[in-house]
Amino acid sequence: MLLGSIEAGGTKFVCAVGNENYQVQDQIQFPTTTPEETLRKTVDYFNKFKIEALSIASFGPIEIRKSSDNYGYITTTPKPNWSNTDFVGYIKKYFDIPIFWTTDVNGSAYGEYVMSTLSNEKINSLVYYTIGTGVGAGVIVNGHLIGGIGHPEMGHVLLKRHPDDLDFKGICPYHGDCLEGLVAGPTFEARLGIKGQEVATDHPVWEIMAYYAAQAALQTMLTLRPSKIVFGGGVTSEQFLQKVRIEFKKLLNDYVQVPDLDQYIVTPAVKNNGSATVGNFALANKILNE
Ligand code: ZN
């Protein structure tokens, strides 16, 4: 059986086909250009295979409420040309198969959740953050994605400012200094005038970044009490998470018990940014069996 995965990122699309055991059998990636060109390439790719179901994990914001006229759309994204794009509608014209539609981070969260349960970790919930060009999080509770009026937007929560960072206004076009506005990849250039890749690992900015990421993780832990918090994305590394754990411990101040932080706040179990693809295969399989 073949299942399809579309990881639709703001920078690139990763399309893959695989089986119900989440093994990738073929994969392609191409840059995210215009919707017409990018979706055309996506359809051309899947036309080469006989897939039985498909899952799309997309950058957003997106409309996930089935009751909405705009279900399946990318809605108000600041990414040029993509706002109000009928993503699912376009794909459905070419493939008459079950299609699961969710956010990129929900796809990754689901992939991490599935891998954790497969390795017999006793978990019932998981939060996946990405810190890259943007910041977002996906949430799984008891095996389900959550959201009522829409999907979670945990990249835009507001935080206490670091005392050494008060002059920085943040880069979110909507909120300035929300989480994304303070820790997304482009903040390196906005704060320091140099790209993230050129910032030394011992630069003090990492303490500031860790302070904010730890606050996000703390609030998520206090709100949802998830079994595990995973951080992925280009800005994240094990070295960075070591700082995040230290800040998290200070902020929590022993208020409630949490698992060993080395196992609680972690990098992805699926390597090479593969979490969303695994999640998509699992979600496509799930929708096929519903
Ligand atoms: Zn924001």
Side-chain angles (χ1 to χ4, degrees):
M1 181 176 68
L2 278 184
L3 301 163
S5 162
I6 303 173
E7 184 186 2
T11 313
K12 67 172 192 282
F13 267 46
V14 181
C15 298
V17 292
N19 60 23
E20 67 273 29
N21 298 317
Y22 323 126
Q23 286 154 333
V24 177
Q25 310 208 330
D26 194 77
Q27 193 167 28
I28 189 176
Q29 62 179 57
F30 40 86
T32 310
T33 56
T34 62
E36 297 74 27
E37 185 181 34
T38 316
L39 295 178
R40 183 71 245 168
K41 276 187 190 167
T42 303
V43 167
D44 288 347
Y45 174 73
F46 287 109
N47 266 333
K48 294 190 286 177
F49 306 94
K50 191 144 179 47
I51 52 171
E52 291 183 39
L54 175 66
S55 176
I56 306 167
S58 175
F59 70 96
I62 66 175
E63 181 55 82
I64 58 164
R65 292 172 297 176
K66 293 236 168 72
S67 58
S68 166
D69 290 343
N70 292 332
Y71 173 78
Y73 278 60
I74 292 176
T75 56
T76 54
T77 180
K79 187 168 172 61
N81 305 316
W82 281 85
S83 57
N84 225 17
T85 295
D86 183 9
F87 198 138
V88 174
Y90 187 98
I91 301 295
K92 260 201 177 314
K93 277 191 288 181
Y94 300 91
F95 300 98
D96 183 23
I97 55 173
I99 296 175
F100 195 90
W101 168 244
T102 194
T103 61
D104 44 7
V105 277
N106 270 343
S108 295
Y110 205 75
E112 287 294 311
Y113 178 79
V114 162
M115 289 314 272
S116 296
T117 47
L118 280 181
S119 60
N120 289 323
E121 279 181 55
K122 295 211 175 359
I123 77 165
N124 64 10
S125 52
L126 182 145
V127 174
Y128 177 96
Y129 277 95
T130 184
I131 306 180
T133 313
V135 177
V139 180
I140 311 294
V141 174
N142 294 325
H144 296 284
L145 303 170
I146 63 164
I149 57 166
H151 53 77
E153 282 286 357
M154 295 159 71
H156 295 268
V157 297
L158 304 178
L159 309 164
K160 187 159 70 175
R161 296 297 302 269
H162 190 287
D164 297 338
D165 192 45
L166 298 176
D167 292 338
F168 181 56
K169 292 197 163 39
I171 61 164
C172 174
Y174 295 94
H175 315 112
D177 63 348
C178 65
L179 175 63
E180 177 171 296
L182 290 172
V183 306
T187 59
F188 288 107
E189 201 155 8
R191 266 199 194 89
L192 310 170
I194 49 174
K195 295 217 182 294
Q197 301 92 307
E198 290 152 25
V199 178
T201 50
D202 59 352
H203 194 287
V205 74
W206 288 109
E207 309 294 334
I208 292 169
M209 302 278 281
Y211 181 66
Y212 296 136
Q215 286 185 59
L218 179 74
Q219 294 185 38
T220 291
M221 189 282 289
L222 294 171
T223 307
L224 299 168
R225 304 299 295 275
S227 308
K228 201 169 170 182
I229 302 175
V230 180
F231 278 90
V235 171
T236 304
S237 63
E238 177 55 31
Q239 207 167 12
F240 176 59
L241 290 192
Q242 283 169 12
K243 293 186 194 299
V244 173
R245 292 180 196 116
I246 291 167
E247 294 297 329
F248 181 97
K249 189 172 162 46
K250 274 195 253 173
L251 290 164
L252 177 61
N253 199 23
D254 290 328
Y255 173 55
V256 285
Q257 279 209 326
V258 286
D260 178 358
L261 291 185
D262 288 333
Q263 265 95 58
Y264 191 65
I265 297 174
V266 294
T267 55
V270 184
K271 297 306 169 200
N272 305 316
N273 303 316
S275 313
T277 300
V278 169
N280 274 334
F281 290 151
L283 289 164
N285 195 35
K286 190 166 178 245
I287 198 172
L288 187 63
N289 292 316
E290 268 167 11

